[in-house]
PDB file of all heavy atoms in Angstrom:
ATOM      1  N   MET H   6     -11.318 -18.907  14.530  1.00 91.00           N
ATOM      2  CA  MET H   6     -10.810 -17.873  15.373  1.00 91.00           C
ATOM      3  C   MET H   6     -11.014 -18.217  16.802  1.00 91.00           C
ATOM      4  O   MET H   6     -12.047 -18.703  17.239  1.00 91.00           O
ATOM      5  CB  MET H   6     -11.516 -16.567  15.024  1.00 91.00           C
ATOM      6  CG  MET H   6     -11.221 -15.982  13.713  1.00 91.00           C
ATOM      7  SD  MET H   6      -9.553 -15.490  13.480  1.00 91.00           S
ATOM      8  CE  MET H   6      -9.537 -13.936  14.456  1.00 91.00           C
ATOM      9  N   ALA H  25      -4.165   6.800  20.982  1.00 92.00           N
ATOM     10  CA  ALA H  25      -4.059   5.389  20.799  1.00 92.00           C
ATOM     11  C   ALA H  25      -2.721   5.007  20.094  1.00 92.00           C
ATOM     12  O   ALA H  25      -2.225   5.851  19.363  1.00 92.00           O
ATOM     13  CB  ALA H  25      -5.243   4.854  20.092  1.00 92.00           C
ATOM     14  N   ILE H  27      -0.815   1.971  17.804  1.00 96.00           N
ATOM     15  CA  ILE H  27      -0.946   0.656  17.136  1.00 96.00           C
ATOM     16  C   ILE H  27       0.428   0.200  16.672  1.00 96.00           C
ATOM     17  O   ILE H  27       1.264   1.008  16.115  1.00 96.00           O
ATOM     18  CB  ILE H  27      -1.934   0.727  15.942  1.00 96.00           C
ATOM     19  CG1 ILE H  27      -2.132  -0.690  15.359  1.00 96.00           C
ATOM     20  CG2 ILE H  27      -1.497   1.714  14.856  1.00 96.00           C
ATOM     21  CD1 ILE H  27      -3.382  -0.857  14.555  1.00 96.00           C
ATOM     22  N   VAL H  30       1.500  -5.556  12.162  1.00 95.00           N
ATOM     23  CA  VAL H  30       0.468  -5.712  11.170  1.00 95.00           C
ATOM     24  C   VAL H  30       0.003  -7.197  11.189  1.00 95.00           C
ATOM     25  O   VAL H  30       0.672  -8.074  11.713  1.00 95.00           O
ATOM     26  CB  VAL H  30       0.968  -5.365   9.761  1.00 95.00           C
ATOM     27  CG1 VAL H  30       1.387  -3.958   9.628  1.00 95.00           C
ATOM     28  CG2 VAL H  30       2.217  -6.266   9.439  1.00 95.00           C
ATOM     29  N   VAL H  31      -1.211  -7.409  10.612  1.00 96.00           N
ATOM     30  CA  VAL H  31      -1.751  -8.733  10.608  1.00 96.00           C
ATOM     31  C   VAL H  31      -1.177  -9.420   9.367  1.00 96.00           C
ATOM     32  O   VAL H  31      -1.785  -9.404   8.302  1.00 96.00           O
ATOM     33  CB  VAL H  31      -3.318  -8.701  10.572  1.00 96.00           C
ATOM     34  CG1 VAL H  31      -3.858 -10.105  10.680  1.00 96.00           C
ATOM     35  CG2 VAL H  31      -3.835  -7.875  11.651  1.00 96.00           C
ATOM     36  N   GLY H  32       0.000 -10.020   9.563  1.00 92.00           N
ATOM     37  CA  GLY H  32       0.665 -10.785   8.502  1.00 92.00           C
ATOM     38  C   GLY H  32       1.060 -12.084   9.102  1.00 92.00           C
ATOM     39  O   GLY H  32       1.068 -12.298  10.293  1.00 92.00           O
ATOM     40  N   GLU H  37      -1.155  -7.399  15.126  1.00 97.00           N
ATOM     41  CA  GLU H  37      -1.273  -5.993  15.424  1.00 97.00           C
ATOM     42  C   GLU H  37      -1.892  -5.866  16.816  1.00 97.00           C
ATOM     43  O   GLU H  37      -2.768  -6.589  17.191  1.00 97.00           O
ATOM     44  CB  GLU H  37      -2.039  -5.238  14.339  1.00 97.00           C
ATOM     45  CG  GLU H  37      -3.551  -5.528  14.299  1.00 97.00           C
ATOM     46  CD  GLU H  37      -4.329  -4.709  13.305  1.00 97.00           C
ATOM     47  OE1 GLU H  37      -3.711  -3.738  12.729  1.00 97.00           O
ATOM     48  OE2 GLU H  37      -5.500  -5.014  13.060  1.00 97.00           O
ATOM     49  N   LEU H  39      -3.497  -2.867  19.334  1.00 97.00           N
ATOM     50  CA  LEU H  39      -4.038  -1.520  19.479  1.00 97.00           C
ATOM     51  C   LEU H  39      -4.136  -1.210  20.952  1.00 97.00           C
ATOM     52  O   LEU H  39      -4.838  -1.933  21.632  1.00 97.00           O
ATOM     53  CB  LEU H  39      -5.366  -1.413  18.743  1.00 97.00           C
ATOM     54  CG  LEU H  39      -6.114  -0.097  18.767  1.00 97.00           C
ATOM     55  CD1 LEU H  39      -5.314   0.990  18.161  1.00 97.00           C
ATOM     56  CD2 LEU H  39      -7.469  -0.195  18.112  1.00 97.00           C
ATOM     57  N   GLU H  41      -5.246   1.416  23.868  1.00 95.00           N
ATOM     58  CA  GLU H  41      -6.067   2.621  24.101  1.00 95.00           C
ATOM     59  C   GLU H  41      -6.399   2.754  25.570  1.00 95.00           C
ATOM     60  O   GLU H  41      -6.581   1.769  26.285  1.00 95.00           O
ATOM     61  CB  GLU H  41      -7.404   2.460  23.385  1.00 95.00           C
ATOM     62  CG  GLU H  41      -7.299   2.286  21.884  1.00 95.00           C
ATOM     63  CD  GLU H  41      -8.578   1.613  21.268  1.00 95.00           C
ATOM     64  OE1 GLU H  41      -8.890   0.455  21.611  1.00 95.00           O
ATOM     65  OE2 GLU H  41      -9.236   2.301  20.466  1.00 95.00           O
ATOM     66  N   SER H  56      -5.897 -16.546  15.006  1.00 92.00           N
ATOM     67  CA  SER H  56      -6.206 -17.552  14.009  1.00 92.00           C
ATOM     68  C   SER H  56      -5.804 -18.912  14.480  1.00 92.00           C
ATOM     69  O   SER H  56      -6.131 -19.968  13.843  1.00 92.00           O
ATOM     70  CB  SER H  56      -5.534 -17.219  12.674  1.00 92.00           C
ATOM     71  OG  SER H  56      -4.111 -17.159  12.820  1.00 92.00           O
ATOM     72  N   LEU H  81      -6.509  -0.672  27.532  1.00 97.00           N
ATOM     73  CA  LEU H  81      -7.118  -1.801  26.750  1.00 97.00           C
ATOM     74  C   LEU H  81      -6.239  -2.097  25.542  1.00 97.00           C
ATOM     75  O   LEU H  81      -5.858  -1.228  24.740  1.00 97.00           O
ATOM     76  CB  LEU H  81      -8.519  -1.332  26.237  1.00 97.00           C
ATOM     77  CG  LEU H  81      -9.158  -2.333  25.292  1.00 97.00           C
ATOM     78  CD1 LEU H  81      -9.444  -3.711  25.895  1.00 97.00           C
ATOM     79  CD2 LEU H  81     -10.459  -1.772  24.683  1.00 97.00           C
ATOM     80  N   THR H  83      -6.013  -4.481  22.330  1.00 98.00           N
ATOM     81  CA  THR H  83      -6.789  -5.379  21.426  1.00 98.00           C
ATOM     82  C   THR H  83      -5.803  -5.952  20.422  1.00 98.00           C
ATOM     83  O   THR H  83      -5.145  -5.173  19.739  1.00 98.00           O
ATOM     84  CB  THR H  83      -7.948  -4.697  20.801  1.00 98.00           C
ATOM     85  OG1 THR H  83      -8.595  -3.848  21.770  1.00 98.00           O
ATOM     86  CG2 THR H  83      -8.943  -5.643  20.221  1.00 98.00           C
ATOM     87  N   ASN H  85      -5.043  -8.485  17.113  1.00 97.00           N
ATOM     88  CA  ASN H  85      -5.459  -9.316  15.949  1.00 97.00           C
ATOM     89  C   ASN H  85      -4.191 -10.167  15.688  1.00 97.00           C
ATOM     90  O   ASN H  85      -3.203  -9.565  15.189  1.00 97.00           O
ATOM     91  CB  ASN H  85      -5.873  -8.447  14.755  1.00 97.00           C
ATOM     92  CG  ASN H  85      -7.227  -7.847  14.945  1.00 97.00           C
ATOM     93  OD1 ASN H  85      -8.108  -8.394  15.548  1.00 97.00           O
ATOM     94  ND2 ASN H  85      -7.389  -6.636  14.409  1.00 97.00           N
ATOM     95  N   ASP H  86      -4.305 -11.446  15.813  1.00 97.00           N
ATOM     96  CA  ASP H  86      -3.105 -12.308  15.742  1.00 97.00           C
ATOM     97  C   ASP H  86      -3.229 -13.231  14.500  1.00 97.00           C
ATOM     98  O   ASP H  86      -4.289 -13.803  14.254  1.00 97.00           O
ATOM     99  CB  ASP H  86      -3.000 -13.180  17.032  1.00 97.00           C
ATOM    100  CG  ASP H  86      -1.889 -14.176  16.848  1.00 97.00           C
ATOM    101  OD1 ASP H  86      -0.714 -13.773  16.550  1.00 97.00           O
ATOM    102  OD2 ASP H  86      -2.139 -15.370  16.983  1.00 97.00           O
TER     103      ASP H  86
ATOM    104  N   ARG J  26       1.807   2.380   7.605  1.00 96.00           N
ATOM    105  CA  ARG J  26       1.844   3.560   8.574  1.00 96.00           C
ATOM    106  C   ARG J  26       3.263   4.187   8.591  1.00 96.00           C
ATOM    107  O   ARG J  26       3.382   5.415   8.764  1.00 96.00           O
ATOM    108  CB  ARG J  26       1.440   3.146   9.929  1.00 96.00           C
ATOM    109  CG  ARG J  26      -0.073   3.003   9.970  1.00 96.00           C
ATOM    110  CD  ARG J  26      -0.678   3.255  11.357  1.00 96.00           C
ATOM    111  NE  ARG J  26      -2.121   3.351  11.077  1.00 96.00           N
ATOM    112  CZ  ARG J  26      -2.837   2.377  10.611  1.00 96.00           C
ATOM    113  NH1 ARG J  26      -2.297   1.159  10.457  1.00 96.00           N
ATOM    114  NH2 ARG J  26      -4.095   2.558  10.304  1.00 96.00           N
ATOM    115  N   PRO J  44      -7.320   2.864  13.123  1.00 96.00           N
ATOM    116  CA  PRO J  44      -7.499   1.576  13.808  1.00 96.00           C
ATOM    117  C   PRO J  44      -8.545   1.642  14.900  1.00 96.00           C
ATOM    118  O   PRO J  44      -9.332   0.730  15.120  1.00 96.00           O
ATOM    119  CB  PRO J  44      -6.137   1.299  14.332  1.00 96.00           C
ATOM    120  CG  PRO J  44      -5.163   2.057  13.468  1.00 96.00           C
ATOM    121  CD  PRO J  44      -5.924   3.275  13.014  1.00 96.00           C
ATOM    122  N   SER J  45      -8.608   2.771  15.680  1.00 95.00           N
ATOM    123  CA  SER J  45      -9.509   2.832  16.785  1.00 95.00           C
ATOM    124  C   SER J  45     -11.010   2.749  16.361  1.00 95.00           C
ATOM    125  O   SER J  45     -11.906   2.399  17.175  1.00 95.00           O
ATOM    126  CB  SER J  45      -9.288   4.089  17.631  1.00 95.00           C
ATOM    127  OG  SER J  45      -8.055   4.013  18.228  1.00 95.00           O
ATOM    128  N   ARG J  47     -12.145   0.736  14.304  1.00 96.00           N
ATOM    129  CA  ARG J  47     -12.436  -0.682  14.160  1.00 96.00           C
ATOM    130  C   ARG J  47     -13.403  -0.993  13.032  1.00 96.00           C
ATOM    131  O   ARG J  47     -14.348  -1.768  13.222  1.00 96.00           O
ATOM    132  CB  ARG J  47     -12.934  -1.234  15.512  1.00 96.00           C
ATOM    133  CG  ARG J  47     -11.878  -1.298  16.555  1.00 96.00           C
ATOM    134  CD  ARG J  47     -12.484  -1.797  17.847  1.00 96.00           C
ATOM    135  NE  ARG J  47     -11.537  -2.152  18.878  1.00 96.00           N
ATOM    136  CZ  ARG J  47     -10.798  -1.272  19.622  1.00 96.00           C
ATOM    137  NH1 ARG J  47     -10.942   0.007  19.432  1.00 96.00           N
ATOM    138  NH2 ARG J  47      -9.947  -1.755  20.545  1.00 96.00           N
ATOM    139  N   GLY J  57     -13.815 -16.802   9.589  1.00 90.00           N
ATOM    140  CA  GLY J  57     -12.968 -17.116  10.717  1.00 90.00           C
ATOM    141  C   GLY J  57     -11.494 -16.777  10.463  1.00 90.00           C
ATOM    142  O   GLY J  57     -10.610 -17.462  10.931  1.00 90.00           O
ATOM    143  N   MET J  58     -11.268 -15.687   9.779  1.00 92.00           N
ATOM    144  CA  MET J  58      -9.896 -15.239   9.521  1.00 92.00           C
ATOM    145  C   MET J  58      -9.654 -13.984  10.254  1.00 92.00           C
ATOM    146  O   MET J  58     -10.541 -13.148  10.494  1.00 92.00           O
ATOM    147  CB  MET J  58      -9.711 -14.993   8.025  1.00 92.00           C
ATOM    148  CG  MET J  58      -9.899 -16.317   7.263  1.00 92.00           C
ATOM    149  SD  MET J  58      -9.404 -16.093   5.562  1.00 92.00           S
ATOM    150  CE  MET J  58      -7.640 -15.875   5.815  1.00 92.00           C
ATOM    151  N   PRO J  59      -8.373 -13.753  10.674  1.00 93.00           N
ATOM    152  CA  PRO J  59      -8.069 -12.520  11.395  1.00 93.00           C
ATOM    153  C   PRO J  59      -8.271 -11.256  10.614  1.00 93.00           C
ATOM    154  O   PRO J  59      -7.888 -11.205   9.462  1.00 93.00           O
ATOM    155  CB  PRO J  59      -6.618 -12.686  11.831  1.00 93.00           C
ATOM    156  CG  PRO J  59      -6.069 -13.732  10.912  1.00 93.00           C
ATOM    157  CD  PRO J  59      -7.208 -14.578  10.461  1.00 93.00           C
ATOM    158  N   ALA J  60      -8.937 -10.302  11.214  1.00 96.00           N
ATOM    159  CA  ALA J  60      -9.154  -9.017  10.533  1.00 96.00           C
ATOM    160  C   ALA J  60      -8.062  -8.018  10.924  1.00 96.00           C
ATOM    161  O   ALA J  60      -7.305  -8.252  11.891  1.00 96.00           O
ATOM    162  CB  ALA J  60     -10.525  -8.427  10.961  1.00 96.00           C
ATOM    163  N   ALA J  61      -7.935  -6.939  10.193  1.00 97.00           N
ATOM    164  CA  ALA J  61      -7.097  -5.827  10.600  1.00 97.00           C
ATOM    165  C   ALA J  61      -7.940  -4.622  10.926  1.00 97.00           C
ATOM    166  O   ALA J  61      -9.016  -4.454  10.308  1.00 97.00           O
ATOM    167  CB  ALA J  61      -6.119  -5.436   9.490  1.00 97.00           C
ATOM    168  N   PHE J  62      -7.598  -3.902  11.947  1.00 97.00           N
ATOM    169  CA  PHE J  62      -8.425  -2.747  12.442  1.00 97.00           C
ATOM    170  C   PHE J  62      -8.735  -1.745  11.377  1.00 97.00           C
ATOM    171  O   PHE J  62      -9.750  -1.046  11.479  1.00 97.00           O
ATOM    172  CB  PHE J  62      -7.750  -2.034  13.566  1.00 97.00           C
ATOM    173  CG  PHE J  62      -7.683  -2.903  14.833  1.00 97.00           C
ATOM    174  CD1 PHE J  62      -6.442  -3.169  15.366  1.00 97.00           C
ATOM    175  CD2 PHE J  62      -8.833  -3.381  15.439  1.00 97.00           C
ATOM    176  CE1 PHE J  62      -6.383  -3.980  16.517  1.00 97.00           C
ATOM    177  CE2 PHE J  62      -8.789  -4.124  16.585  1.00 97.00           C
ATOM    178  CZ  PHE J  62      -7.561  -4.501  17.158  1.00 97.00           C
ATOM    179  N   GLU J  84      -1.528  -1.500   3.188  1.00 97.00           N
ATOM    180  CA  GLU J  84      -0.574  -2.251   4.000  1.00 97.00           C
ATOM    181  C   GLU J  84      -0.142  -3.504   3.252  1.00 97.00           C
ATOM    182  O   GLU J  84      -0.956  -4.451   3.047  1.00 97.00           O
ATOM    183  CB  GLU J  84      -1.222  -2.604   5.390  1.00 97.00           C
ATOM    184  CG  GLU J  84      -0.489  -3.583   6.190  1.00 97.00           C
ATOM    185  CD  GLU J  84       1.018  -3.201   6.428  1.00 97.00           C
ATOM    186  OE1 GLU J  84       1.258  -2.036   6.838  1.00 97.00           O
ATOM    187  OE2 GLU J  84       1.893  -3.998   6.147  1.00 97.00           O
ATOM    188  N   GLU J  86       1.645  -6.150   4.105  1.00 95.00           N
ATOM    189  CA  GLU J  86       1.659  -7.415   4.795  1.00 95.00           C
ATOM    190  C   GLU J  86       0.307  -8.029   5.110  1.00 95.00           C
ATOM    191  O   GLU J  86       0.184  -9.210   5.369  1.00 95.00           O
ATOM    192  CB  GLU J  86       2.419  -7.270   6.136  1.00 95.00           C
ATOM    193  CG  GLU J  86       3.897  -7.087   5.988  1.00 95.00           C
ATOM    194  CD  GLU J  86       4.672  -8.306   5.502  1.00 95.00           C
ATOM    195  OE1 GLU J  86       4.279  -9.406   5.961  1.00 95.00           O
ATOM    196  OE2 GLU J  86       5.561  -8.210   4.652  1.00 95.00           O
ATOM    197  N   PHE J  87      -0.737  -7.157   5.109  1.00 96.00           N
ATOM    198  CA  PHE J  87      -2.045  -7.694   5.453  1.00 96.00           C
ATOM    199  C   PHE J  87      -2.731  -8.217   4.131  1.00 96.00           C
ATOM    200  O   PHE J  87      -3.168  -7.441   3.288  1.00 96.00           O
ATOM    201  CB  PHE J  87      -2.950  -6.659   6.092  1.00 96.00           C
ATOM    202  CG  PHE J  87      -4.333  -7.171   6.452  1.00 96.00           C
ATOM    203  CD1 PHE J  87      -4.534  -8.170   7.313  1.00 96.00           C
ATOM    204  CD2 PHE J  87      -5.475  -6.627   5.839  1.00 96.00           C
ATOM    205  CE1 PHE J  87      -5.742  -8.687   7.601  1.00 96.00           C
ATOM    206  CE2 PHE J  87      -6.718  -7.086   6.141  1.00 96.00           C
ATOM    207  CZ  PHE J  87      -6.874  -8.116   7.006  1.00 96.00           C
TER     208      PHE J  87
END
Side-chain angles (χ1 to χ4, degrees):
Chain H
M6 293 293 286
I27 186 162
V30 296
V31 186
E37 68 178 351
L39 178 61
E41 301 159 297
S56 60
L81 172 64
T83 318
N85 288 325
D86 171 57
Chain J
R26 284 207 168 67
S45 293
R47 290 177 167 76
M58 299 191 67
F62 292 120
E84 169 51 53
E86 289 289 320
F87 181 62

